[in-house]
Amino acid sequence: MPSLVSPRLLFLVGETIHLKKLSRGSSSALCQRSVRFFSRVDRDKNAPLTLANLGFNTEFETTTKNKRNKLENVKVNYPIEAPKSREKVATSNKSRVVRVKKTLEIESAPFAAKSFSELGLPPPLIERLEREGFNVPTDVQSAAIPTILKNHDAVIQSYTGSGKTLAYVLPILSEVGPLKNNYSSADKETGKKTEIEAVVVAPSRELAMQIVREVEKLLGPENKRVVQQLVGGANRSRQEEALKKNKPLIVVGTPGRIAEISAAGKLHTHGCRFLVLDEVDELLSFNFRQDIHRILEHVGRRSGADPQGQKNSLVRWADRRTIMVSATVPFSVVRAARSWACDPLLVQAKSVIPLESLAPGTVNLSSPTSSSNSDSNLQHQATVQSLPPALKHYYCVTRLQHKVDTLRRCVHALNAQSVIAFMNHTRQLKDAVFKLEARGMKAAELHGDLGKLGRSTILKKFKSGEVRVLVTNELAARGLDVPECDLVVNLDLPTDSIHYAHRAGRTGRLGRKGTVVTICEEREVFVVKKLQKQLGVPIPACDFTEGKLIVTDKEEKHAEALR
Ligand SMILES: Nc1ncnc2c1ncn2[C@@H]1O[C@H](COP(=O)(O)OP(=O)(O)OP(=O)(O)O)[C@@H](O)[C@H]1O
């Protein structure tokens, strides 16, 4: 096996998926939740599936075939009622406040809305959006905004660069802070005393800071204090002081820092109404498990609710809307959503369906011996939906010692101006940067060992075009939004199709053109072929000769000639 290929890739390929329905409401289910959620084995066993392919053979859909046909025509014609289980649970426990979800007439959900005003957003927010040049919502925003505004918990899945951030930020700003409906001066006064109303968690500082900037942009400079970042690597006591002084309504941060400040009693989130987990599949990974658990347990939990004593955990978070977001939604996310959210809906660009309608047993997560055919088929559907459709993919075979030079020739051949090159090991980055710079190509390395300041300076330089090639590791693979990025290069193979999808998604954002080139050794080609199969996109072989990208794949050449 090639040294650069993680065993995980091979492990995932041979797996199938098993969907087990959790018995909500029972105390044993609560225990199971914790065990499942924290299990390392569980994470490793999660083959990369999106929810879409999980949902396509469900009981729900077989009994509503006609309806599904309509769904394929960009809408669903059934209403989603307020979840009965939730109502029952809440009354049986004589809870003080019951979150009653409004019926969501999905028929009327404008899946391709022409303007933000169709989505029920308040006029001040629409004004801000227009000022910032956001005039037409993307498909996933059209589907997600009304869903969240109707008080539903949601899992939002849509391909990279499709605008998922605003899909959850806009409903929050509709209800929290100065741009919300009927915001009055009285609100301003009482607002000074309120607790945090929304917590957004992201796996990296860069992503958290990017989300903060997006929110700040909409709030305007006069309302900057409404949102605060709580990221690791920055001075914690300063962040705590700012919380005390500014009393933000929205905090955005990394799991460790949020959990840390919360545990110190400096972050009051019991009244929190929104909990967003961005890049949720990454947040559910082993590295973040304790912090995320703390956040899921505490955010929006009613004071007085005892985590051990409560029969049903959902009662404790009855007022919290839980929103989970990612381009890739493996089964760990389905399971987490079922455990931690209340009757969540799966929101995709052109459909909204109840997560519960995904029938148990449709697919099998746990059996490593099951058919690889159906499995790779599921993986295929999964990752296909996480990639921007306009992306072009190639691979180029070269020797290990020539990889960086091939990268340089690739950049010239495509005349790429803003390039992200991924490697797997931090210590290799410096060497690659050195080689590129020695050949006159402006490059810089970005990785987690750099300080917060160093990281943001390099990112700024890359965004401004001062740095042409950003050589990085997995740190930059998720969420990073540099619209100008026109080329992604894998100098090392990603560990699996999910990692490929997130890396690739740094280019071709929001309908822009983008190219992904994987530079590999001959012995690694079989992995590229596997990725191609799982991703459902052609990845032809290419070479860079005389300053041009030449497709060397005979079959692909033939296909191109026929096009
Ligand atoms: N309605 C819109 N009109 C114009 N631009 C938009 C709109 N919505 C989002 N954008 C822009 O599109 C880009 C991509 O959005 P965003 O980062 O939210 O994508 P994403 O789906 O979260 O991607 P990823 O999965 O990689 O995190 C951003 O630059 C954002 O400002």
Side-chain angles (χ1 to χ4, degrees):
M1 185 171 53
S3 60
L4 293 175
V5 183
S6 152
R8 192 172 158 221
L9 173 69
L10 304 175
F11 180 65
L12 289 175
V13 169
E15 274 187 301
T16 53
I17 295 191
H18 178 63
L19 208 89
K20 240 182 177 176
K21 194 165 183 161
L22 289 176
S23 59
R24 297 176 113 186
S26 75
S27 50
S28 65
L30 266 179
C31 304
Q32 282 177 4
R33 275 173 203 150
S34 312
V35 172
R36 289 203 180 118
F37 188 70
F38 292 137
S39 161
R40 167 114 215 198
V41 176
D42 273 358
R43 163 164 164 76
D44 286 343
K45 282 186 174 178
N46 291 333
L49 291 173
T50 58
L51 295 163
N53 64 53
L54 287 171
F56 281 178
N57 291 318
T58 63
E59 286 165 4
F60 181 83
E61 291 194 345
T62 40
T63 54
T64 55
K65 207 175 172 195
N66 293 339
K67 291 176 181 177
R68 191 179 68 178
N69 289 342
K70 288 191 181 167
L71 181 147
E72 281 159 3
N73 288 332
V74 191
K75 61 182 185 180
V76 191
N77 67 349
Y78 53 87
I80 293 173
E81 303 290 340
K84 289 189 174 56
S85 59
R86 174 67 154 274
E87 287 173 329
K88 218 190 303 171
V89 161
T91 43
S92 69
N93 283 278
K94 295 189 171 50
S95 59
R96 285 161 293 166
V97 189
V98 180
R99 169 146 65 108
V100 179
K101 295 183 176 184
K102 294 171 201 157
T103 300
L104 173 63
E105 296 287 348
I106 293 197
E107 187 173 17
S108 61
F111 284 112
K114 300 226 164 20
S115 71
F116 282 104
S117 51
E118 284 176 50
L119 304 178
L121 297 172
L125 183 52
I126 292 170
E127 224 170 87
R128 293 282 186 173
L129 281 164
E130 283 168 0
R131 207 183 298 171
E132 292 301 325
F134 299 118
N135 297 310
V136 183
T138 65
D139 286 351
V140 72
Q141 290 163 3
S142 297
I145 292 168
T147 305
I148 300 169
L149 286 178
K150 292 271 181 178
N151 221 1
H152 285 277
D153 288 358
V155 173
I156 303 177
Q157 188 274 325
S158 173
Y159 60 79
T160 53
S162 57
K164 293 187 290 297
T165 313
L166 287 185
Y168 65 78
V169 162
L170 296 180
I172 293 176
L173 291 180
S174 293
E175 295 186 21
V176 175
L179 302 178
K180 71 176 185 183
N181 259 329
N182 309 319
Y183 185 75
S184 63
S185 48
D187 269 319
K188 208 170 182 178
E189 282 313 302
T190 50
K192 284 280 162 220
K193 290 172 204 136
T194 53
E195 291 184 334
I196 309 285
E197 294 197 46
V199 171
V200 180
V201 193
S204 73
R205 298 174 207 168
E206 281 70 19
L207 183 52
M209 282 151 68
Q210 187 176 289
I211 298 164
V212 169
R213 278 196 298 275
E214 195 100 343
V215 178
E216 280 178 348
K217 212 159 64 175
L218 292 171
L219 286 169
E222 69 278 20
N223 298 310
K224 257 181 141 172
R225 290 182 174 186
V226 172
V227 59
Q228 188 183 324
Q229 67 185 40
L230 295 178
V231 298
N235 189 306
R236 182 179 137 190
S237 36
R238 237 180 262 160
Q239 289 174 350
E240 289 173 353
E241 273 164 35
L243 280 173
K244 213 164 144 191
K245 190 170 148 225
N246 300 334
K247 296 192 167 39
L249 299 173
I250 304 168
V251 294
V252 184
T254 46
R257 183 52 56 92
I258 292 178
E260 206 179 3
I261 297 185
S262 159
K266 306 276 172 64
L267 186 69
H268 305 290
T269 56
H270 290 322
C272 190
R273 298 192 287 139
F274 294 92
L275 172 62
V276 180
L277 303 183
D278 201 342
E279 305 294 346
V280 59
D281 49 334
E282 178 71 8
L283 290 176
L284 295 178
S285 75
F286 185 77
N287 291 346
F288 296 119
R289 64 174 191 172
Q290 274 183 342
D291 298 329
I292 288 295
H293 182 243
R294 189 190 159 86
I295 291 166
L296 280 162
E297 271 285 342
H298 283 77
V299 169
R301 195 181 84 211
R302 294 199 204 124
S303 50
D306 166 19
Q308 308 307 323
Q310 280 281 0
K311 277 245 161 79
N312 192 303
S313 62
L314 293 173
V315 177
R316 285 183 277 133
W317 307 300
D319 299 327
R320 170 183 99 188
R321 251 165 287 177
T322 307
I323 302 160
M324 301 185 174
V325 185
S326 184
T328 48
V329 179
F331 190 66
S332 55
V333 174
V334 181
R335 198 168 35 213
R338 286 179 172 174
S339 301
W340 297 98
C342 173
D343 293 352
L345 298 178
L346 164 63
V347 178
Q348 293 176 303
K350 295 191 193 310
S351 76
V352 181
I353 59 166
L355 206 65
E356 284 302 321
S357 71
L358 307 176
T362 322
V363 275
N364 190 336
L365 243 190
S366 53
S367 161
T369 53
S370 44
S371 137
S372 62
N373 262 354
S374 63
D375 208 34
S376 64
N377 192 25
L378 289 169
Q379 279 200 348
H380 164 103
Q381 288 184 24
T383 29
V384 129
Q385 295 187 33
S386 57
L387 284 169
L391 278 193
K392 287 192 166 176
H393 307 258
Y394 302 96
Y395 77 94
C396 176
V397 175
T398 188
R399 289 187 176 189
L400 182 64
Q401 61 269 35
H402 297 153
K403 277 192 172 185
V404 178
D405 196 51
T406 308
L407 162 65
R408 190 186 56 78
R409 289 190 293 123
C410 169
V411 172
H412 283 309
L414 294 167
N415 193 23
Q417 299 306 313
S418 183
V419 184
I420 303 182
F422 287 98
M423 300 186 88
N424 291 345
H425 304 290
T426 307
R427 62 192 142 75
Q428 304 167 320
L429 306 181
K430 197 180 280 303
D431 189 43
V433 169
F434 180 79
K435 284 181 182 164
L436 290 170
E437 292 251 304
R439 301 297 296 268
M441 190 166 277
K442 195 78 190 122
E445 57 181 310
L446 179 74
H447 53 83
D449 295 348
L450 298 173
K452 182 174 170 267
L453 191 65
R455 277 155 70 163
S456 57
T457 309
I458 284 165
L459 258 182
K460 260 187 210 149
K461 284 185 179 176
F462 180 58
K463 286 181 179 176
S464 70
E466 201 181 317
V467 166
R468 190 174 181 185
V469 184
L470 185 72
V471 188
T472 185
N473 55 15
E474 232 45 52
L475 174 82
R478 287 213 178 227
L480 200 71
D481 181 50
V482 184
E484 297 77 20
C485 176
D486 49 359
L487 172 65
V488 162
V489 176
N490 290 314
L491 276 175
D492 286 331
L493 285 170
T495 46
D496 56 34
S497 53
I498 285 196
H499 286 79
Y500 183 100
H502 284 282
R503 286 178 175 192
R506 296 318 100 210
T507 184
R509 298 187 65 78
L510 210 75
R512 291 178 182 86
K513 283 184 181 169
T515 308
V516 186
V517 178
T518 300
I519 299 175
C520 62
E521 294 175 72
E522 187 69 55
R523 66 196 176 112
E524 296 170 321
V525 170
F526 81 97
V527 182
V528 178
K529 298 286 177 199
K530 257 181 193 161
L531 288 171
Q532 169 175 266
K533 211 166 159 194
Q534 290 171 358
L535 291 157
V537 290
I539 311 182
C542 76
D543 210 346
F544 306 104
T545 22
E546 296 173 2
K548 285 199 179 104
L549 183 152
I550 310 286
V551 176
T552 54
D553 221 315
K554 279 184 202 137
E555 279 172 33
E556 183 58 25
K557 262 187 184 170
H558 183 63
E560 273 192 1
L562 291 176
R563 267 177 222 142

